Amino acid sequence: MLVPHPSVQRNRDPILKVIRHYLPESGTVLEVGAGGGSHAAWFAPRLPGLIWQPTDAHPEALPRIAQWA
C-alpha cells in the first residue's frame, strides 16, 4: 500500500479547500511538478468530474506517479 509523504497528508485538505473554488466542474488538470503524484490521487475521487494528469520533470518521479495512478 502506498503511503503519501507526511507533508502531503498535512496539506492536501487545505489545498483541496482552495482549488475547489478555482477548478471547473469537469475537464483535465495538468499537475506540473507532481513529485510522486499522491496529491492527484487524493484529489481525483473528491473532484470526480476532473481527469488528473500528474507529471514531473524528474524521470525518477514517473514510476511513483504510475503507482498512484
Side-chain angles (χ1 to χ4, degrees), residues 1-39:
M1 175 180 210
L2 291 172
V3 177
H5 190 275
S7 63
V8 172
Q9 292 178 338
R10 283 192 307 273
N11 67 27
R12 62 189 179 189
D13 286 320
I15 292 171
L16 179 62
K17 185 177 179 180
V18 172
I19 65 174
R20 281 185 189 274
H21 298 288
Y22 294 97
L23 294 175
E25 293 278 325
S26 63
T28 301
V29 178
L30 175 63
E31 182 186 10
V32 177
S38 55
H39 273 114

